[in-house]
Amino acid sequence: MQSLVTELSVLLSFWLCLSAWQRDRTARGRRLFIAMSGLVCVWGAAGLGQVHGALPPGGADRLAFLAILPLPALWLGLALVVRGSPLVDRAPWALGLLLVPGAVCYGLLLQGPQLAHWFLLSGPYGVSRPGPLFWLNAGYGWALASLGSLHFLLSARSLRSRRERAKRCLVGALSIAPVVGNVVYVSWGLPGIDPTPILLAATLVALRSDLFSGDLLQALPVSQHDLVSRLPKPLILTDLHGRVTEINPAAEACLAVAKADALDRHIEGLFEQASFAPEFERWSLVAHGREAGFILLPQRARATDGGSA
């Protein structure tokens, strides 16, 4: 059972990392999401290596700690990005500062027993008797992760749709589960499998559907961003209210407008600003059986290519 759950967390986190890599490169929090998914995958792989004897206990612990220590700071950074906080963009070094305590603790693991015992009393690589720095770092990580979950919950207030607010609140509530699971596992020293990796992977599944388009099982040979940007025909995507959500380089050149100026603008206002705009035809964009927005293509492009569609 322990091996099965660990394998599931590895496979799920690896697939999340791959699917996020193939999404739009301009999506908010994409890099942080990929980093978190990758670290959860490494954490689970370390557990599998120890269970199957592929890694010695000391090597498995070092690999697991290497993945664990950055996760709380990255979670808080991702929550700030989702909430729209300018801190991550204006002061990216602040996220680096949050990683310093974990880096110091990991450095102790690589030193001799005289220094490592401050982190792990059982020796430089044992985990049976956590030392004082272990508890300080664990409390620090739990605080960062809880603060990140709080920011996810607060970000729901800025969403207009009741469904989107409920979805974001669900993500915030689910993100508490890995913290609670880790606190119980570490504090009470429960035998068996650590539930934190699989709980983190489940939380990232819910967050992925909130951040990126496409289904979880959708995997493209090229990224969605590359596919749209390399189309030779002008292409514009809008939401149900007519606000531009994507515009490819061909459409930028056609309308003589930069992508940064076009995004989030109403399509009619964008056409009015353009010095020349061909006639665009609008198609409904359907996702999961529901209308999600519109695709705009030049009429000439549709008349030329529609016969073969």
Side-chain angles (χ1 to χ4, degrees):
M1 182 64 179
Q2 177 178 357
S3 177
L4 179 61
V5 174
T6 306
E7 289 173 358
L8 179 60
S9 66
V10 170
L11 292 174
L12 186 56
S13 56
F14 175 77
W15 188 259
L16 287 169
C17 186
L18 179 62
S19 63
W21 183 269
Q22 295 172 333
R23 297 302 100 194
D24 188 350
R25 293 177 183 175
T26 62
R28 54 186 181 176
R30 174 177 171 269
R31 292 182 180 179
L32 289 172
F33 185 92
I34 291 174
M36 286 199 64
S37 301
L39 289 174
V40 174
C41 184
V42 172
W43 187 354
L48 282 179
Q50 186 171 1
V51 169
H52 295 290
L55 292 172
D61 291 340
R62 290 196 301 271
L63 184 60
F65 279 121
L66 181 63
I68 294 170
L69 295 175
L71 279 171
L74 295 178
W75 179 249
L76 176 57
L78 183 58
L80 291 173
V81 170
V82 171
R83 193 180 179 188
S85 172
L87 178 63
V88 178
D89 293 328
R90 295 180 181 177
W93 48 266
L95 183 59
L97 290 179
L98 295 178
L99 297 171
V100 171
V104 172
C105 290
Y106 187 76
L108 292 177
L109 290 174
L110 304 180
Q111 305 303 315
Q114 292 182 348
L115 291 178
H117 80 280
W118 289 97
F119 192 73
L120 296 171
L121 293 176
S122 59
Y125 307 124
V127 294
S128 58
R129 296 177 57 200
L133 283 184
F134 178 93
W135 290 113
L136 286 175
N137 184 74
Y140 174 73
W142 294 334
L144 289 184
S146 300
L147 186 59
S149 299
L150 177 61
H151 278 288
F152 272 112
L153 290 172
L154 294 176
S155 68
R157 298 187 302 179
S158 62
L159 301 176
R160 298 181 179 180
S161 169
R162 179 179 299 179
R163 182 185 179 189
E164 291 178 351
R165 288 196 299 270
K167 192 175 181 181
R168 185 68 55 79
C169 288
L170 177 61
V171 172
L174 285 176
S175 64
I176 299 295
V179 179
V180 175
N182 191 252
V183 170
V184 172
Y185 178 79
V186 173
S187 300
W188 277 268
L190 298 179
I193 187 172
D194 184 354
T196 315
I198 189 63
L199 291 175
L200 267 174
T203 302
L204 290 173
V205 169
L207 181 60
R208 184 218 173 276
S209 64
D210 192 25
L211 294 180
F212 309 113
S213 62
D215 296 330
L216 176 62
L217 298 180
Q218 180 181 357
L220 303 176
V222 295
S223 72
Q224 175 179 298
H225 173 76
D226 290 339
L227 184 63
V228 172
S229 63
R230 294 178 183 178
L231 285 175
K233 303 293 186 181
L235 172 67
I236 303 173
L237 302 180
T238 74
D239 60 16
L240 288 172
H241 304 289
R243 292 189 297 268
V244 177
T245 58
E246 183 61 81
I247 179 171
N248 70 346
E252 291 181 66
C254 177
L255 300 176
V257 62
K259 181 175 182 178
D261 297 329
L263 293 179
D264 293 328
R265 292 192 57 185
H266 196 278
I267 188 64
E268 299 300 334
L270 184 65
F271 287 158
E272 291 177 0
Q273 178 189 354
S275 56
F276 168 75
E279 291 293 330
F280 278 81
E281 189 155 0
R282 183 176 304 187
W283 293 353
S284 292
L285 179 61
V286 179
H288 306 290
R290 303 178 63 179
E291 193 174 47
F294 300 97
I295 302 176
L296 283 81
L297 293 171
Q299 286 187 349
R300 181 178 299 178
R302 185 181 181 187
T304 302
D305 304 330
S308 59

mmCIF file of all heavy atoms in Angstrom, residues 160-182:
data_model
loop_
_atom_site.group_PDB
_atom_site.id
_atom_site.type_symbol
_atom_site.label_atom_id
_atom_site.label_comp_id
_atom_site.label_asym_id
_atom_site.label_seq_id
_atom_site.Cartn_x
_atom_site.Cartn_y
_atom_site.Cartn_z
ATOM 1 N N ARG A 160 -15.405 37.513 -10.111
ATOM 2 C CA ARG A 160 -16.771 37.963 -10.319
ATOM 3 C C ARG A 160 -17.775 36.826 -10.304
ATOM 4 O O ARG A 160 -18.867 36.952 -9.763
ATOM 5 C CB ARG A 160 -16.868 38.725 -11.643
ATOM 6 C CG ARG A 160 -16.010 39.983 -11.687
ATOM 7 C CD ARG A 160 -16.178 40.692 -13.023
ATOM 8 N NE ARG A 160 -15.382 41.921 -13.083
ATOM 9 C CZ ARG A 160 -15.347 42.731 -14.128
ATOM 10 N NH1 ARG A 160 -16.060 42.435 -15.217
ATOM 11 N NH2 ARG A 160 -14.601 43.820 -14.106
ATOM 12 N N SER A 161 -17.414 35.715 -10.909
ATOM 13 C CA SER A 161 -18.335 34.595 -11.013
ATOM 14 C C SER A 161 -18.430 33.843 -9.686
ATOM 15 O O SER A 161 -17.408 33.581 -9.043
ATOM 16 C CB SER A 161 -17.879 33.637 -12.124
ATOM 17 O OG SER A 161 -18.600 32.436 -12.088
ATOM 18 N N ARG A 162 -19.651 33.497 -9.307
ATOM 19 C CA ARG A 162 -19.840 32.724 -8.077
ATOM 20 C C ARG A 162 -19.190 31.358 -8.200
ATOM 21 O O ARG A 162 -18.600 30.843 -7.235
ATOM 22 C CB ARG A 162 -21.327 32.574 -7.793
ATOM 23 C CG ARG A 162 -21.640 31.768 -6.538
ATOM 24 C CD ARG A 162 -23.128 31.680 -6.284
ATOM 25 N NE ARG A 162 -23.726 32.994 -6.090
ATOM 26 C CZ ARG A 162 -25.025 33.194 -5.867
ATOM 27 N NH1 ARG A 162 -25.844 32.143 -5.831
ATOM 28 N NH2 ARG A 162 -25.497 34.410 -5.699
ATOM 29 N N ARG A 163 -19.259 30.789 -9.382
ATOM 30 C CA ARG A 163 -18.645 29.484 -9.599
ATOM 31 C C ARG A 163 -17.130 29.563 -9.460
ATOM 32 O O ARG A 163 -16.511 28.689 -8.847
ATOM 33 C CB ARG A 163 -19.012 28.968 -10.993
ATOM 34 C CG ARG A 163 -18.456 27.588 -11.301
ATOM 35 C CD ARG A 163 -18.746 27.188 -12.735
ATOM 36 N NE ARG A 163 -18.203 25.901 -13.048
ATOM 37 C CZ ARG A 163 -18.155 25.378 -14.266
ATOM 38 N NH1 ARG A 163 -18.649 26.077 -15.289
ATOM 39 N NH2 ARG A 163 -17.634 24.186 -14.487
ATOM 40 N N GLU A 164 -16.524 30.600 -10.014
ATOM 41 C CA GLU A 164 -15.073 30.761 -9.898
ATOM 42 C C GLU A 164 -14.661 31.001 -8.453
ATOM 43 O O GLU A 164 -13.628 30.497 -7.995
ATOM 44 C CB GLU A 164 -14.607 31.919 -10.785
ATOM 45 C CG GLU A 164 -14.731 31.642 -12.272
ATOM 46 C CD GLU A 164 -14.301 32.834 -13.099
ATOM 47 O OE1 GLU A 164 -14.083 33.919 -12.518
ATOM 48 O OE2 GLU A 164 -14.171 32.676 -14.322
ATOM 49 N N ARG A 165 -15.471 31.780 -7.720
ATOM 50 C CA ARG A 165 -15.150 32.021 -6.309
ATOM 51 C C ARG A 165 -15.220 30.720 -5.511
ATOM 52 O O ARG A 165 -14.359 30.445 -4.667
ATOM 53 C CB ARG A 165 -16.100 33.057 -5.724
ATOM 54 C CG ARG A 165 -15.868 34.470 -6.216
ATOM 55 C CD ARG A 165 -16.563 35.473 -5.313
ATOM 56 N NE ARG A 165 -18.005 35.271 -5.268
ATOM 57 C CZ ARG A 165 -18.872 35.846 -6.085
ATOM 58 N NH1 ARG A 165 -18.435 36.696 -7.017
ATOM 59 N NH2 ARG A 165 -20.161 35.622 -5.979
ATOM 60 N N ALA A 166 -16.250 29.915 -5.778
ATOM 61 C CA ALA A 166 -16.383 28.645 -5.069
ATOM 62 C C ALA A 166 -15.221 27.713 -5.402
ATOM 63 O O ALA A 166 -14.693 27.010 -4.521
ATOM 64 C CB ALA A 166 -17.715 27.984 -5.437
ATOM 65 N N LYS A 167 -14.800 27.730 -6.656
ATOM 66 C CA LYS A 167 -13.695 26.882 -7.078
ATOM 67 C C LYS A 167 -12.395 27.300 -6.401
ATOM 68 O O LYS A 167 -11.621 26.461 -5.939
ATOM 69 C CB LYS A 167 -13.552 26.970 -8.600
ATOM 70 C CG LYS A 167 -12.647 25.928 -9.211
ATOM 71 C CD LYS A 167 -12.688 26.037 -10.722
ATOM 72 C CE LYS A 167 -11.823 24.995 -11.384
ATOM 73 N NZ LYS A 167 -11.843 25.118 -12.869
ATOM 74 N N ARG A 168 -12.154 28.610 -6.325
ATOM 75 C CA ARG A 168 -10.941 29.104 -5.676
ATOM 76 C C ARG A 168 -10.957 28.817 -4.177
ATOM 77 O O ARG A 168 -9.925 28.464 -3.590
ATOM 78 C CB ARG A 168 -10.799 30.603 -5.927
ATOM 79 C CG ARG A 168 -9.497 31.203 -5.390
ATOM 80 C CD ARG A 168 -8.276 30.718 -6.125
ATOM 81 N NE ARG A 168 -8.365 30.929 -7.552
ATOM 82 C CZ ARG A 168 -8.146 32.113 -8.157
ATOM 83 N NH1 ARG A 168 -7.854 33.182 -7.436
ATOM 84 N NH2 ARG A 168 -8.234 32.213 -9.470
ATOM 85 N N CYS A 169 -12.111 28.961 -3.551
ATOM 86 C CA CYS A 169 -12.230 28.638 -2.121
ATOM 87 C C CYS A 169 -11.957 27.156 -1.880
ATOM 88 O O CYS A 169 -11.348 26.790 -0.858
ATOM 89 C CB CYS A 169 -13.606 29.016 -1.605
ATOM 90 S SG CYS A 169 -13.888 30.790 -1.438
ATOM 91 N N LEU A 170 -12.396 26.318 -2.805
ATOM 92 C CA LEU A 170 -12.138 24.887 -2.683
ATOM 93 C C LEU A 170 -10.644 24.600 -2.740
ATOM 94 O O LEU A 170 -10.121 23.787 -1.965
ATOM 95 C CB LEU A 170 -12.867 24.129 -3.790
ATOM 96 C CG LEU A 170 -12.639 22.611 -3.838
ATOM 97 C CD1 LEU A 170 -13.124 21.967 -2.547
ATOM 98 C CD2 LEU A 170 -13.338 22.003 -5.046
ATOM 99 N N VAL A 171 -9.941 25.292 -3.657
ATOM 100 C CA VAL A 171 -8.491 25.123 -3.752
ATOM 101 C C VAL A 171 -7.824 25.548 -2.445
ATOM 102 O O VAL A 171 -6.935 24.863 -1.927
ATOM 103 C CB VAL A 171 -7.926 25.929 -4.939
ATOM 104 C CG1 VAL A 171 -6.396 25.923 -4.915
ATOM 105 C CG2 VAL A 171 -8.425 25.359 -6.254
ATOM 106 N N GLY A 172 -8.259 26.699 -1.896
ATOM 107 C CA GLY A 172 -7.690 27.163 -0.645
ATOM 108 C C GLY A 172 -7.945 26.200 0.497
ATOM 109 O O GLY A 172 -7.066 25.951 1.329
ATOM 110 N N ALA A 173 -9.158 25.637 0.537
ATOM 111 C CA ALA A 173 -9.483 24.686 1.598
ATOM 112 C C ALA A 173 -8.688 23.389 1.441
ATOM 113 O O ALA A 173 -8.187 22.828 2.426
ATOM 114 C CB ALA A 173 -10.983 24.401 1.591
ATOM 115 N N LEU A 174 -8.566 22.904 0.202
ATOM 116 C CA LEU A 174 -7.803 21.682 -0.032
ATOM 117 C C LEU A 174 -6.335 21.851 0.314
ATOM 118 O O LEU A 174 -5.671 20.898 0.749
ATOM 119 C CB LEU A 174 -7.936 21.254 -1.501
ATOM 120 C CG LEU A 174 -9.261 20.631 -1.929
ATOM 121 C CD1 LEU A 174 -9.260 20.368 -3.429
ATOM 122 C CD2 LEU A 174 -9.513 19.337 -1.169
ATOM 123 N N SER A 175 -5.807 23.061 0.135
ATOM 124 C CA SER A 175 -4.385 23.280 0.382
ATOM 125 C C SER A 175 -4.032 23.197 1.864
ATOM 126 O O SER A 175 -2.850 23.103 2.218
ATOM 127 C CB SER A 175 -3.966 24.647 -0.173
ATOM 128 O OG SER A 175 -4.625 25.692 0.513
ATOM 129 N N ILE A 176 -5.038 23.219 2.736
ATOM 130 C CA ILE A 176 -4.784 23.048 4.160
ATOM 131 C C ILE A 176 -4.494 21.585 4.483
ATOM 132 O O ILE A 176 -3.785 21.266 5.446
ATOM 133 C CB ILE A 176 -5.984 23.538 4.986
ATOM 134 C CG1 ILE A 176 -6.238 25.027 4.729
ATOM 135 C CG2 ILE A 176 -5.780 23.311 6.463
ATOM 136 C CD1 ILE A 176 -5.127 25.924 5.205
ATOM 137 N N ALA A 177 -5.037 20.670 3.678
ATOM 138 C CA ALA A 177 -4.907 19.239 3.961
ATOM 139 C C ALA A 177 -3.451 18.772 4.023
ATOM 140 O O ALA A 177 -3.090 18.031 4.950
ATOM 141 C CB ALA A 177 -5.693 18.435 2.925
ATOM 142 N N PRO A 178 -2.566 19.159 3.063
ATOM 143 C CA PRO A 178 -1.166 18.723 3.187
ATOM 144 C C PRO A 178 -0.494 19.240 4.454
ATOM 145 O O PRO A 178 0.330 18.536 5.050
ATOM 146 C CB PRO A 178 -0.502 19.304 1.930
ATOM 147 C CG PRO A 178 -1.612 19.522 0.975
ATOM 148 C CD PRO A 178 -2.796 19.877 1.796
ATOM 149 N N VAL A 179 -0.832 20.466 4.873
ATOM 150 C CA VAL A 179 -0.240 21.019 6.096
ATOM 151 C C VAL A 179 -0.678 20.201 7.302
ATOM 152 O O VAL A 179 0.144 19.787 8.139
ATOM 153 C CB VAL A 179 -0.626 22.501 6.270
ATOM 154 C CG1 VAL A 179 -0.012 23.059 7.554
ATOM 155 C CG2 VAL A 179 -0.178 23.321 5.075
ATOM 156 N N VAL A 180 -1.980 19.937 7.398
ATOM 157 C CA VAL A 180 -2.497 19.154 8.518
ATOM 158 C C VAL A 180 -1.913 17.744 8.506
ATOM 159 O O VAL A 180 -1.493 17.208 9.548
ATOM 160 C CB VAL A 180 -4.037 19.102 8.471
ATOM 161 C CG1 VAL A 180 -4.581 18.180 9.552
ATOM 162 C CG2 VAL A 180 -4.620 20.496 8.630
ATOM 163 N N GLY A 181 -1.861 17.131 7.323
ATOM 164 C CA GLY A 181 -1.303 15.788 7.221
ATOM 165 C C GLY A 181 0.147 15.730 7.647
ATOM 166 O O GLY A 181 0.567 14.796 8.341
ATOM 167 N N ASN A 182 0.931 16.731 7.247
ATOM 168 C CA ASN A 182 2.342 16.746 7.616
ATOM 169 C C ASN A 182 2.531 17.010 9.103
ATOM 170 O O ASN A 182 3.403 16.411 9.748
ATOM 171 C CB ASN A 182 3.074 17.805 6.791
ATOM 172 C CG ASN A 182 4.581 17.700 6.926
ATOM 173 O OD1 ASN A 182 5.207 18.541 7.558
ATOM 174 N ND2 ASN A 182 5.158 16.680 6.322
#
